[in-house]
Amino acid sequence: MKQVNVGLLGFGTIGTGVVKVLQEKKEQLAQVIGTELNLKWVCDIDLTRARAVKMSKKLLTNDANQVLTDPEVDIIIELIGGIHPALEYILTALQNKKHVVTANKALLAEHGKEIFSTAAKVNKSVYFEGSVGGGIPIINAINVGLAANRINSVFGILNGTTNYILTRMAQEGADYQTVLKDAQQLGFAEADPTLDVSGMDAAHKLVILASLAFQTPIELKEVLVEGITEITASDIQYAREFGYVIKLLAIGKRTEQGIEVRVHPTMLPKDNLLTSVNGVYNAILVEGDTVGTTLFYGRGAGMMPTASAVISDVITLSKQILCSRVNEKCNIPSTMNFSLPIGKKHIPIKPIPRLTSKYYLRFSALDQPGVLAAISGILSRYKISISAVIQKGRKAKDVVPIVMMTHEAMEASIQQALVEIDKLPVIKRKSILIRVED
Ligand code: HSE
Protein backbone atom coordinates (compact mmCIF):
# COMPACT_ATOMS: atom_id res chain seq x y z
CA MET A 1 0.00 0.00 0.00
CA LYS A 2 1.18 3.55 -0.74
CA GLN A 3 3.12 5.10 2.12
CA VAL A 4 1.92 8.01 4.25
CA ASN A 5 4.18 11.05 3.88
CA VAL A 6 4.96 13.31 6.78
CA GLY A 7 6.52 16.79 6.80
CA LEU A 8 8.02 18.08 10.04
CA LEU A 9 8.17 21.81 10.79
CA GLY A 10 10.46 22.54 13.74
CA PHE A 11 13.61 20.50 14.37
CA GLY A 12 14.14 21.38 18.02
CA THR A 13 14.06 19.09 21.04
CA ILE A 14 10.65 17.51 20.40
CA GLY A 15 11.21 17.47 16.63
CA THR A 16 14.41 15.52 17.19
CA GLY A 17 12.50 13.05 19.39
CA VAL A 18 9.89 12.60 16.66
CA VAL A 19 12.57 11.92 14.02
CA LYS A 20 14.21 9.43 16.38
CA VAL A 21 10.98 7.46 16.86
CA LEU A 22 10.20 7.53 13.13
CA GLN A 23 13.66 6.16 12.38
CA GLU A 24 14.05 3.66 15.20
CA LYS A 25 10.50 2.28 15.14
CA LYS A 26 9.91 2.27 11.41
CA GLU A 27 8.86 -1.39 11.29
CA GLN A 28 6.66 -1.25 14.37
CA LEU A 29 4.88 1.84 13.04
CA ALA A 30 4.36 0.25 9.61
CA GLN A 31 2.80 -2.76 11.29
CA VAL A 32 0.46 -0.72 13.44
CA ILE A 33 -0.62 1.55 10.58
CA GLY A 34 -0.64 -0.96 7.74
CA THR A 35 1.78 0.95 5.55
CA GLU A 36 5.12 2.72 5.77
CA LEU A 37 5.32 6.11 7.43
CA ASN A 38 7.75 8.18 5.40
CA LEU A 39 9.43 11.28 6.79
CA LYS A 40 9.65 13.36 3.63
CA TRP A 41 10.79 16.73 5.00
CA VAL A 42 12.39 18.18 8.10
CA CYS A 43 12.25 21.97 8.17
CA ASP A 44 13.92 24.43 10.52
CA ILE A 45 15.38 27.92 10.17
CA ASP A 46 18.62 26.65 11.73
CA LEU A 47 19.93 23.45 10.20
CA THR A 48 23.52 23.91 11.35
CA ARG A 49 22.99 23.01 15.01
CA ALA A 50 24.07 19.48 16.04
CA ARG A 51 21.15 17.12 16.71
CA ALA A 52 21.02 13.68 18.29
CA VAL A 53 19.83 12.06 15.03
CA LYS A 54 21.36 11.52 11.59
CA MET A 55 19.49 11.77 8.31
CA SER A 56 19.90 12.30 4.61
CA LYS A 57 20.54 15.95 3.73
CA LYS A 58 17.86 15.62 1.02
CA LEU A 59 15.19 15.71 3.74
CA LEU A 60 16.38 18.98 5.22
CA THR A 61 15.05 22.36 4.20
CA ASN A 62 14.68 25.79 5.74
CA ASP A 63 11.83 26.69 3.42
CA ALA A 64 8.53 25.83 5.11
CA ASN A 65 6.69 26.53 1.86
CA GLN A 66 8.48 23.66 0.19
CA VAL A 67 6.92 21.32 2.78
CA LEU A 68 3.51 22.96 2.89
CA THR A 69 3.05 22.91 -0.89
CA ASP A 70 4.41 19.42 -1.54
CA PRO A 71 1.38 17.54 -2.92
CA GLU A 72 2.78 14.24 -1.64
CA VAL A 73 2.78 15.32 2.01
CA ASP A 74 -0.26 13.95 3.88
CA ILE A 75 0.49 15.13 7.42
CA ILE A 76 2.24 18.24 8.68
CA ILE A 77 3.72 18.02 12.17
CA GLU A 78 4.07 21.51 13.64
CA LEU A 79 6.64 21.65 16.45
CA ILE A 80 7.86 25.21 16.05
CA GLY A 81 6.04 26.49 19.13
CA GLY A 82 4.85 30.06 19.73
CA ILE A 83 2.11 31.79 17.78
CA HIS A 84 3.78 33.11 14.61
CA PRO A 85 4.55 31.66 12.12
CA ALA A 86 3.11 28.40 13.52
CA LEU A 87 -0.47 29.68 13.09
CA GLU A 88 0.06 30.69 9.46
CA TYR A 89 1.77 27.39 8.67
CA ILE A 90 -1.06 25.34 10.18
CA LEU A 91 -3.71 27.32 8.32
CA THR A 92 -1.77 26.96 5.06
CA ALA A 93 -1.32 23.22 5.65
CA LEU A 94 -5.09 22.84 6.12
CA GLN A 95 -5.89 24.96 3.07
CA ASN A 96 -3.49 22.71 1.12
CA LYS A 97 -5.57 19.72 2.28
CA LYS A 98 -3.12 18.31 4.77
CA HIS A 99 -3.87 16.96 8.21
CA VAL A 100 -1.99 18.58 11.08
CA VAL A 101 -0.41 17.34 14.30
CA THR A 102 0.74 19.92 16.82
CA ALA A 103 1.85 20.09 20.45
CA ASN A 104 1.43 23.86 20.55
CA LYS A 105 -0.80 24.56 23.56
CA ALA A 106 -0.43 28.35 23.47
CA LEU A 107 -1.52 28.40 19.84
CA LEU A 108 -4.52 26.13 20.44
CA ALA A 109 -5.60 28.02 23.54
CA GLU A 110 -5.38 31.40 21.82
CA HIS A 111 -6.34 30.56 18.21
CA GLY A 112 -8.20 27.26 18.54
CA LYS A 113 -11.40 28.64 17.05
CA GLU A 114 -9.72 29.79 13.84
CA ILE A 115 -7.70 26.61 13.47
CA PHE A 116 -10.56 24.19 14.07
CA SER A 117 -13.12 26.06 12.02
CA THR A 118 -10.65 26.07 9.09
CA ALA A 119 -10.07 22.34 9.62
CA ALA A 120 -13.81 21.71 9.59
CA LYS A 121 -14.24 23.72 6.38
CA VAL A 122 -11.60 21.73 4.49
CA ASN A 123 -12.56 18.46 6.17
CA LYS A 124 -9.13 17.82 7.66
CA SER A 125 -8.11 17.05 11.23
CA VAL A 126 -5.85 18.78 13.70
CA TYR A 127 -4.63 16.44 16.44
CA PHE A 128 -2.84 17.64 19.55
CA GLU A 129 -2.13 14.87 22.05
CA GLY A 130 1.30 16.37 22.86
CA SER A 131 -0.17 19.71 23.88
CA VAL A 132 -1.26 18.66 27.38
CA GLY A 133 0.58 16.42 29.81
CA GLY A 134 3.50 15.56 27.47
CA GLY A 135 3.54 11.77 27.18
CA ILE A 136 0.32 11.20 29.15
CA PRO A 137 -2.40 10.26 26.63
CA ILE A 138 -4.96 12.47 28.34
CA ILE A 139 -6.55 13.95 25.19
CA ASN A 140 -7.30 10.51 23.85
CA ALA A 141 -8.48 9.38 27.28
CA ILE A 142 -11.00 12.20 27.53
CA ASN A 143 -12.13 11.99 23.89
CA VAL A 144 -12.26 8.23 23.57
CA GLY A 145 -11.57 6.31 26.77
CA LEU A 146 -13.99 8.35 28.86
CA ALA A 147 -16.49 9.12 26.10
CA ALA A 148 -19.26 7.32 27.99
CA ASN A 149 -19.00 9.84 30.82
CA ARG A 150 -20.29 13.21 31.76
CA ILE A 151 -17.07 14.61 33.18
CA ASN A 152 -17.62 16.53 36.41
CA SER A 153 -14.10 17.71 37.14
CA VAL A 154 -10.49 17.73 36.00
CA PHE A 155 -7.71 18.56 38.44
CA GLY A 156 -4.26 18.72 36.92
CA ILE A 157 -0.66 19.29 37.79
CA LEU A 158 0.06 20.40 34.25
CA ASN A 159 3.35 22.24 34.55
CA GLY A 160 6.53 20.34 35.35
CA THR A 161 8.69 23.39 36.01
CA THR A 162 6.51 24.77 38.78
CA ASN A 163 5.92 21.33 40.25
CA TYR A 164 9.68 20.82 40.38
CA ILE A 165 10.17 24.18 42.11
CA LEU A 166 7.39 23.61 44.67
CA THR A 167 8.62 20.06 45.35
CA ARG A 168 12.15 21.23 46.08
CA MET A 169 10.92 24.14 48.20
CA ALA A 170 8.88 21.64 50.23
CA GLN A 171 11.68 19.09 50.55
CA GLU A 172 14.49 21.51 51.34
CA GLY A 173 12.73 24.46 52.96
CA ALA A 174 14.50 26.56 50.31
CA ASP A 175 13.05 29.80 48.98
CA TYR A 176 11.57 30.34 45.54
CA GLN A 177 14.40 32.38 44.01
CA THR A 178 17.11 29.93 45.08
CA VAL A 179 15.27 26.90 43.70
CA LEU A 180 14.36 28.73 40.48
CA LYS A 181 18.00 29.61 39.85
CA ASP A 182 19.03 26.02 40.46
CA ALA A 183 16.23 24.72 38.22
CA GLN A 184 17.43 27.01 35.43
CA GLN A 185 21.00 25.72 35.79
CA LEU A 186 19.76 22.12 35.69
CA GLY A 187 17.59 22.77 32.62
CA PHE A 188 14.25 22.29 34.42
CA ALA A 189 13.30 25.94 33.98
CA GLU A 190 13.70 28.25 30.99
CA ALA A 191 16.06 31.25 31.09
CA ASP A 192 12.83 33.28 30.96
CA PRO A 193 10.52 31.22 33.19
CA THR A 194 7.57 33.65 33.03
CA LEU A 195 5.18 31.45 31.06
CA ASP A 196 5.62 28.61 33.55
CA VAL A 197 5.83 30.41 36.90
CA SER A 198 2.99 32.80 36.07
CA GLY A 199 0.65 29.82 35.62
CA MET A 200 0.02 30.75 31.97
CA ASP A 201 1.41 27.51 30.51
CA ALA A 202 -0.90 25.51 32.78
CA ALA A 203 -3.78 27.83 31.81
CA HIS A 204 -3.18 27.14 28.09
CA LYS A 205 -3.36 23.44 28.85
CA LEU A 206 -6.47 23.83 31.02
CA VAL A 207 -8.29 25.66 28.20
CA ILE A 208 -7.71 22.61 25.98
CA LEU A 209 -8.52 20.04 28.67
CA ALA A 210 -11.64 21.73 30.01
CA SER A 211 -13.02 22.47 26.52
CA LEU A 212 -12.82 18.77 25.77
CA ALA A 213 -13.94 17.53 29.16
CA PHE A 214 -17.01 19.77 29.34
CA GLN A 215 -17.63 19.90 25.57
CA THR A 216 -17.88 23.66 25.51
CA PRO A 217 -15.63 26.36 24.10
CA ILE A 218 -13.54 27.99 26.82
CA GLU A 219 -11.48 31.10 26.27
CA LEU A 220 -8.19 31.87 27.92
CA LYS A 221 -9.52 35.17 29.30
CA GLU A 222 -12.17 33.25 31.24
CA VAL A 223 -9.55 31.38 33.27
CA LEU A 224 -8.38 32.70 36.64
CA VAL A 225 -4.57 32.51 36.46
CA GLU A 226 -2.20 32.94 39.39
CA GLY A 227 1.39 31.72 39.52
CA ILE A 228 3.76 30.55 42.21
CA THR A 229 6.04 33.57 42.53
CA GLU A 230 4.52 34.76 45.83
CA ILE A 231 4.73 31.38 47.56
CA THR A 232 7.35 31.27 50.30
CA ALA A 233 9.03 28.39 52.08
CA SER A 234 7.12 29.44 55.18
CA ASP A 235 3.75 29.12 53.39
CA ILE A 236 4.73 25.56 52.54
CA GLN A 237 5.69 24.96 56.17
CA TYR A 238 2.45 26.45 57.53
CA ALA A 239 0.45 24.43 55.01
CA ARG A 240 2.17 21.31 56.31
CA GLU A 241 1.25 22.23 59.89
CA PHE A 242 -2.39 22.46 58.79
CA GLY A 243 -2.10 19.06 57.02
CA TYR A 244 -1.82 20.35 53.45
CA VAL A 245 0.60 20.36 50.51
CA ILE A 246 0.80 23.30 48.06
CA LYS A 247 0.58 22.47 44.34
CA LEU A 248 0.00 24.66 41.29
CA LEU A 249 -3.30 23.15 40.25
CA ALA A 250 -5.33 23.57 37.07
CA ILE A 251 -8.95 23.08 38.03
CA GLY A 252 -11.96 22.54 35.79
CA LYS A 253 -15.18 21.89 37.68
CA ARG A 254 -18.80 21.60 36.66
CA THR A 255 -21.04 23.38 39.18
CA GLU A 256 -24.67 24.42 39.23
CA GLN A 257 -23.60 28.04 38.63
CA GLY A 258 -21.45 27.18 35.61
CA ILE A 259 -17.99 25.86 34.92
CA GLU A 260 -15.04 26.84 37.09
CA VAL A 261 -11.75 27.20 35.27
CA ARG A 262 -8.79 28.30 37.32
CA VAL A 263 -5.06 27.87 37.76
CA HIS A 264 -3.52 28.86 41.08
CA PRO A 265 -1.43 27.57 43.95
CA THR A 266 -3.74 25.25 45.86
CA MET A 267 -3.56 23.63 49.26
CA LEU A 268 -4.45 19.95 48.97
CA PRO A 269 -4.93 17.60 51.93
CA LYS A 270 -1.73 15.60 52.36
CA ASP A 271 -3.46 12.31 51.55
CA ASN A 272 -4.84 13.56 48.20
CA LEU A 273 -3.66 11.50 45.22
CA LEU A 274 -2.04 14.54 43.59
CA THR A 275 0.17 15.50 46.53
CA SER A 276 2.57 12.64 45.86
CA VAL A 277 3.15 13.85 42.29
CA ASN A 278 6.60 15.35 42.65
CA GLY A 279 9.38 16.87 40.58
CA VAL A 280 8.76 17.44 36.89
CA TYR A 281 5.95 14.89 36.72
CA ASN A 282 2.41 15.80 35.67
CA ALA A 283 -0.85 14.16 36.73
CA ILE A 284 -4.51 14.67 35.93
CA LEU A 285 -7.39 13.50 38.07
CA VAL A 286 -10.57 13.15 36.03
CA GLU A 287 -13.93 12.44 37.57
CA GLY A 288 -16.68 11.08 35.35
CA ASP A 289 -20.21 10.08 36.28
CA THR A 290 -19.86 6.54 34.92
CA VAL A 291 -16.24 5.69 35.66
CA GLY A 292 -15.75 7.58 38.95
CA THR A 293 -12.26 8.89 39.67
CA THR A 294 -9.37 8.20 37.29
CA LEU A 295 -5.77 9.32 37.60
CA PHE A 296 -3.30 9.82 34.74
CA TYR A 297 0.38 10.23 35.61
CA GLY A 298 3.60 10.61 33.69
CA ARG A 299 6.26 12.84 32.24
CA GLY A 300 4.61 16.08 31.22
CA ALA A 301 7.37 17.37 28.99
CA GLY A 302 10.63 16.47 27.33
CA MET A 303 11.90 15.06 24.06
CA MET A 304 10.76 11.44 24.12
CA PRO A 305 7.52 11.66 26.18
CA THR A 306 6.16 14.42 23.94
CA ALA A 307 7.37 12.58 20.82
CA SER A 308 5.40 9.56 22.04
CA ALA A 309 2.23 11.68 22.09
CA VAL A 310 2.93 13.31 18.71
CA ILE A 311 3.54 9.95 17.04
CA SER A 312 0.30 8.56 18.48
CA ASP A 313 -1.55 11.33 16.62
CA VAL A 314 0.39 10.57 13.43
CA ILE A 315 -0.66 6.91 13.74
CA THR A 316 -4.34 7.77 14.20
CA LEU A 317 -4.27 10.14 11.23
CA SER A 318 -2.39 7.68 9.05
CA LYS A 319 -5.07 5.07 9.62
CA GLN A 320 -7.69 7.67 8.76
CA ILE A 321 -5.79 8.54 5.55
CA LEU A 322 -5.49 4.89 4.53
CA CYS A 323 -9.18 4.38 5.14
CA SER A 324 -10.12 7.32 2.95
CA ARG A 325 -7.76 6.15 0.20
CA VAL A 326 -9.53 2.81 0.08
CA ASN A 327 -12.97 4.33 0.20
CA GLU A 328 -13.50 7.94 -0.82
CA LYS A 329 -16.60 8.07 1.35
CA CYS A 330 -14.72 6.87 4.41
CA ASN A 331 -14.81 9.88 6.63
CA ILE A 332 -13.88 8.83 10.12
CA PRO A 333 -15.23 11.63 12.27
CA SER A 334 -12.52 13.47 14.10
CA THR A 335 -12.30 12.28 17.67
CA MET A 336 -10.81 15.61 18.58
CA ASN A 337 -13.84 17.84 18.92
CA PHE A 338 -11.81 20.56 20.54
CA SER A 339 -13.03 23.96 19.53
CA LEU A 340 -16.70 22.98 19.25
CA PRO A 341 -17.59 26.24 17.56
CA ILE A 342 -20.53 24.96 15.60
CA GLY A 343 -23.91 24.11 17.06
CA LYS A 344 -22.67 23.56 20.61
CA LYS A 345 -24.23 25.20 23.60
CA HIS A 346 -21.83 27.44 25.45
CA ILE A 347 -22.03 26.38 29.09
CA PRO A 348 -21.63 29.51 31.24
CA ILE A 349 -18.36 30.04 33.05
CA LYS A 350 -18.77 30.75 36.73
CA PRO A 351 -17.58 34.31 37.45
CA ILE A 352 -14.48 34.32 39.66
CA PRO A 353 -16.02 36.52 42.41
CA ARG A 354 -18.66 33.84 42.91
CA LEU A 355 -16.16 31.06 43.65
CA THR A 356 -16.39 29.58 47.10
CA SER A 357 -13.45 28.00 48.83
CA LYS A 358 -11.65 27.69 52.11
CA TYR A 359 -8.72 30.07 52.22
CA TYR A 360 -5.26 30.24 53.73
CA LEU A 361 -4.39 33.86 54.48
CA ARG A 362 -0.98 35.22 55.44
CA PHE A 363 -0.66 38.75 56.78
CA SER A 364 2.59 40.60 57.45
CA ALA A 365 1.74 42.71 60.46
CA LEU A 366 3.35 44.71 63.22
CA ASP A 367 3.56 42.76 66.45
CA GLN A 368 1.27 45.00 68.47
CA PRO A 369 -1.77 44.53 70.70
CA GLY A 370 -5.05 44.69 68.79
CA VAL A 371 -3.73 43.55 65.40
CA LEU A 372 -5.51 40.21 65.46
CA ALA A 373 -8.70 41.93 66.56
CA ALA A 374 -8.47 44.44 63.69
CA ILE A 375 -7.96 41.71 61.09
CA SER A 376 -10.63 39.40 62.46
CA GLY A 377 -13.04 42.35 62.79
CA ILE A 378 -12.82 43.04 59.06
CA LEU A 379 -13.12 39.34 58.20
CA SER A 380 -16.19 39.07 60.41
CA ARG A 381 -17.84 42.06 58.70
CA TYR A 382 -17.50 40.17 55.41
CA LYS A 383 -18.96 37.06 57.11
CA ILE A 384 -15.69 35.16 56.80
CA SER A 385 -15.30 32.65 59.56
CA ILE A 386 -11.83 31.74 60.81
CA SER A 387 -11.08 28.07 61.50
CA ALA A 388 -7.46 28.31 62.71
CA VAL A 389 -4.76 30.88 63.43
CA ILE A 390 -0.98 30.60 63.73
CA GLN A 391 1.27 33.37 64.91
CA LYS A 392 4.83 32.53 65.73
CA GLY A 393 7.90 34.46 66.87
CA ARG A 394 9.24 37.48 65.07
CA LYS A 395 11.03 36.86 61.80
CA ALA A 396 11.80 40.42 60.76
CA LYS A 397 12.10 43.37 63.10
CA ASP A 398 8.62 44.17 64.41
CA VAL A 399 6.86 42.41 61.49
CA VAL A 400 5.33 38.99 62.08
CA PRO A 401 3.49 36.61 59.83
CA ILE A 402 -0.08 35.95 60.96
CA VAL A 403 -1.56 32.93 59.26
CA MET A 404 -5.25 32.06 59.19
CA MET A 405 -7.40 29.33 57.72
CA THR A 406 -10.99 30.21 56.95
CA HIS A 407 -14.12 28.15 56.62
CA GLU A 408 -15.86 28.18 53.23
CA ALA A 409 -16.15 31.80 52.00
CA MET A 410 -16.97 33.73 48.83
CA GLU A 411 -14.06 34.90 46.71
CA ALA A 412 -15.59 38.38 46.35
CA SER A 413 -15.81 38.74 50.14
CA ILE A 414 -12.25 37.56 50.67
CA GLN A 415 -10.88 39.93 48.03
CA GLN A 416 -12.77 42.92 49.47
CA ALA A 417 -11.73 42.05 53.01
CA LEU A 418 -8.07 41.79 51.95
CA VAL A 419 -8.20 45.22 50.31
CA GLU A 420 -9.44 46.68 53.61
CA ILE A 421 -6.99 44.71 55.73
CA ASP A 422 -4.06 45.79 53.55
CA LYS A 423 -5.00 49.42 54.21
CA LEU A 424 -4.56 48.96 57.99
CA PRO A 425 -1.47 50.88 59.15
CA VAL A 426 -0.29 47.77 61.03
CA ILE A 427 -0.15 45.69 57.83
CA LYS A 428 3.23 46.10 56.21
CA ARG A 429 3.08 43.97 53.04
CA LYS A 430 0.46 42.77 50.59
CA SER A 431 -1.43 39.87 52.17
CA ILE A 432 -1.26 36.45 50.54
CA LEU A 433 -4.13 34.06 49.90
CA ILE A 434 -4.02 30.43 48.87
CA ARG A 435 -7.22 28.56 48.02
CA VAL A 436 -7.85 25.21 49.67
CA GLU A 437 -9.38 22.20 47.89
CA ASP A 438 -10.68 19.53 50.19
N1 HSE B 1 7.24 24.19 30.31
C1 HSE B 1 6.32 23.11 30.42
C2 HSE B 1 6.40 22.50 31.80
C3 HSE B 1 6.58 22.01 29.45
O1 HSE B 1 7.21 22.91 32.62
O2 HSE B 1 5.63 21.60 32.07
C4 HSE B 1 5.99 22.26 28.14
O3 HSE B 1 4.60 22.25 28.22
Side-chain angles (χ1 to χ4, degrees), residues 363-366 371 374-375 378 381-382 414-432:
F363 306 104
S364 300
L366 289 181
V371 172
I375 294 172
I378 295 174
R381 257 199 292 115
Y382 283 95
I414 286 280
Q415 294 291 358
Q416 284 162 17
L418 288 188
V419 168
E420 274 194 40
I421 289 170
D422 283 355
K423 283 187 189 148
L424 292 171
V426 289
I427 298 294
K428 292 298 169 197
R429 278 180 222 123
K430 189 174 176 298
S431 302
I432 298 298

Coordinates of all heavy atoms in Angstrom, one line a residue, residues 363-366 371 374-375 378 381-382 414-432:
F363 N -0.8 37.3 56.6 CA -0.7 38.8 56.8 C 0.7 39.1 57.3 O 1.3 38.3 58.2 CB -1.7 39.3 57.8 CG -3.1 38.9 57.4 CD1 -3.8 37.9 58.1 CD2 -3.8 39.5 56.4 CE1 -5.1 37.5 57.7 CE2 -5.1 39.2 56.0 CZ -5.7 38.1 56.7
S364 N 1.3 40.1 56.9 CA 2.6 40.6 57.4 C 2.3 41.8 58.3 O 2.0 42.9 57.7 CB 3.6 41.0 56.3 OG 3.8 39.8 55.5
A365 N 2.3 41.6 59.6 CA 1.7 42.7 60.5 C 2.7 43.1 61.5 O 3.7 42.3 61.9 CB 0.5 42.2 61.1
L366 N 2.6 44.3 62.1 CA 3.3 44.7 63.2 C 2.9 43.9 64.4 O 1.7 43.5 64.5 CB 3.1 46.2 63.5 CG 3.7 47.2 62.5 CD1 3.4 48.6 63.0 CD2 5.2 47.0 62.4
V371 N -3.9 43.8 66.8 CA -3.7 43.5 65.4 C -4.7 42.4 65.0 O -5.4 42.5 64.0 CB -2.3 43.2 65.0 CG1 -2.2 42.7 63.6 CG2 -1.4 44.4 65.2
A374 N -8.2 43.6 64.9 CA -8.5 44.4 63.7 C -8.7 43.6 62.5 O -9.7 43.8 61.7 CB -7.3 45.4 63.4
I375 N -7.8 42.6 62.3 CA -8.0 41.7 61.1 C -9.3 40.9 61.2 O -10.1 40.8 60.2 CB -6.8 40.7 61.0 CG1 -5.5 41.5 60.7 CG2 -7.0 39.7 59.9 CD1 -4.2 40.7 60.8
I378 N -12.5 42.8 60.5 CA -12.8 43.0 59.1 C -13.3 41.7 58.4 O -14.4 41.7 57.7 CB -11.6 43.6 58.3 CG1 -11.2 45.0 58.8 CG2 -11.9 43.6 56.8 CD1 -10.0 45.6 58.2
R381 N -16.9 41.2 59.4 CA -17.8 42.1 58.7 C -18.2 41.5 57.3 O -19.3 41.7 56.8 CB -17.3 43.5 58.5 CG -17.9 44.4 59.6 CD -17.7 45.9 59.2 NE -16.3 46.3 59.3 CZ -15.6 46.7 58.2 NH1 -16.1 46.7 57.0 NH2 -14.3 47.0 58.4
Y382 N -17.2 40.8 56.7 CA -17.5 40.2 55.4 C -18.0 38.7 55.6 O -18.0 38.0 54.6 CB -16.2 40.2 54.5 CG -16.0 41.6 54.0 CD1 -15.2 42.5 54.6 CD2 -16.7 42.0 52.8 CE1 -15.0 43.8 54.1 CE2 -16.5 43.3 52.3 CZ -15.7 44.2 52.9 OH -15.5 45.4 52.4
I414 N -13.7 37.7 50.3 CA -12.3 37.6 50.7 C -11.4 38.7 50.0 O -10.7 39.4 50.7 CB -11.7 36.2 50.2 CG1 -12.2 35.1 51.1 CG2 -10.1 36.2 50.2 CD1 -11.5 35.0 52.5
Q415 N -11.7 38.9 48.7 CA -10.9 39.9 48.0 C -11.1 41.3 48.6 O -10.2 42.1 48.8 CB -11.2 39.9 46.5 CG -10.8 38.6 45.8 CD -9.3 38.5 45.7 OE1 -8.5 39.3 46.1 NE2 -8.8 37.3 45.1
Q416 N -12.4 41.6 48.9 CA -12.8 42.9 49.5 C -12.2 43.1 50.9 O -11.6 44.1 51.2 CB -14.3 43.1 49.5 CG -14.9 43.4 48.1 CD -16.4 43.2 48.1 OE1 -17.0 43.1 49.1 NE2 -16.9 43.1 46.9
A417 N -12.3 42.0 51.6 CA -11.7 42.0 53.0 C -10.2 42.3 53.0 O -9.7 43.1 53.7 CB -12.1 40.7 53.7
L418 N -9.5 41.6 52.0 CA -8.1 41.8 52.0 C -7.7 43.2 51.6 O -6.7 43.8 52.1 CB -7.5 40.8 51.0 CG -7.4 39.3 51.4 CD1 -6.6 38.5 50.5 CD2 -6.9 39.2 52.8
V419 N -8.5 43.8 50.7 CA -8.2 45.2 50.3 C -8.3 46.1 51.6 O -7.4 46.9 51.8 CB -9.2 45.7 49.2 CG1 -9.1 47.2 49.1 CG2 -8.9 45.0 47.9
E420 N -9.3 45.9 52.4 CA -9.4 46.7 53.6 C -8.3 46.4 54.6 O -7.8 47.3 55.2 CB -10.8 46.4 54.3 CG -11.9 47.3 53.7 CD -13.2 47.2 54.6 OE1 -13.1 47.2 55.8 OE2 -14.3 47.2 54.0
I421 N -8.0 45.1 54.8 CA -7.0 44.7 55.7 C -5.6 45.3 55.3 O -4.9 45.8 56.1 CB -6.9 43.2 55.9 CG1 -8.2 42.7 56.6 CG2 -5.7 42.7 56.6 CD1 -8.4 41.2 56.6
D422 N -5.4 45.3 54.0 CA -4.1 45.8 53.5 C -3.9 47.3 53.7 O -2.8 47.8 53.7 CB -3.8 45.4 52.1 CG -3.4 43.9 52.0 OD1 -3.2 43.3 53.0 OD2 -3.2 43.4 50.8
K423 N -5.1 48.0 54.0 CA -5.0 49.4 54.2 C -4.7 49.7 55.7 O -4.5 50.9 56.0 CB -6.3 50.1 53.8 CG -6.4 50.2 52.3 CD -7.7 51.0 52.0 CE -8.0 51.0 50.5 NZ -9.4 51.0 50.2
L424 N -4.8 48.7 56.6 CA -4.6 49.0 58.0 C -3.1 49.4 58.2 O -2.2 48.8 57.6 CB -4.8 47.7 58.8 CG -6.2 47.2 58.9 CD1 -6.2 45.8 59.6 CD2 -7.1 48.1 59.7
P425 N -2.9 50.4 59.0 CA -1.5 50.9 59.2 C -0.6 49.8 59.7 O 0.7 49.8 59.5 CB -1.6 52.0 60.1 CG -3.1 52.4 60.2 CD -3.8 51.2 59.7
V426 N -1.1 48.8 60.4 CA -0.3 47.8 61.0 C 0.1 46.7 60.0 O 0.9 45.8 60.3 CB -1.0 47.1 62.2 CG1 -1.1 48.1 63.4 CG2 -2.4 46.6 61.8
I427 N -0.5 46.7 58.9 CA -0.1 45.7 57.8 C 0.9 46.3 56.9 O 0.8 47.3 56.4 CB -1.4 45.3 57.0 CG1 -2.5 44.7 57.9 CG2 -1.0 44.3 55.8 CD1 -2.1 43.3 58.5
K428 N 2.1 45.5 56.9 CA 3.2 46.1 56.2 C 3.5 45.6 54.8 O 4.3 46.2 54.1 CB 4.5 45.9 57.1 CG 4.4 46.7 58.4 CD 4.4 48.2 58.0 CE 4.0 49.0 59.2 NZ 3.6 50.4 58.9
R429 N 2.9 44.5 54.4 CA 3.1 44.0 53.0 C 1.8 43.5 52.5 O 0.8 43.2 53.3 CB 4.1 42.8 53.0 CG 5.5 43.3 53.0 CD 6.5 42.2 52.9 NE 7.6 42.6 53.9 CZ 8.0 41.9 54.9 NH1 7.5 40.7 55.1 NH2 9.0 42.3 55.7
K430 N 1.7 43.3 51.2 CA 0.5 42.8 50.6 C 0.2 41.4 51.2 O 1.1 40.5 51.3 CB 0.7 42.7 49.1 CG -0.6 42.4 48.3 CD -0.3 42.4 46.8 CE -1.5 42.0 46.0 NZ -1.9 40.7 46.2
S431 N -1.1 41.2 51.6 CA -1.4 39.9 52.2 C -1.5 38.8 51.1 O -1.8 39.1 49.9 CB -2.8 40.0 52.9 OG -2.6 41.0 53.9
I432 N -1.3 37.6 51.5 CA -1.3 36.5 50.5 C -2.5 35.5 50.8 O -2.8 35.2 52.0 CB 0.1 35.6 50.8 CG1 1.3 36.5 50.5 CG2 0.1 34.4 49.9 CD1 1.4 37.0 49.1

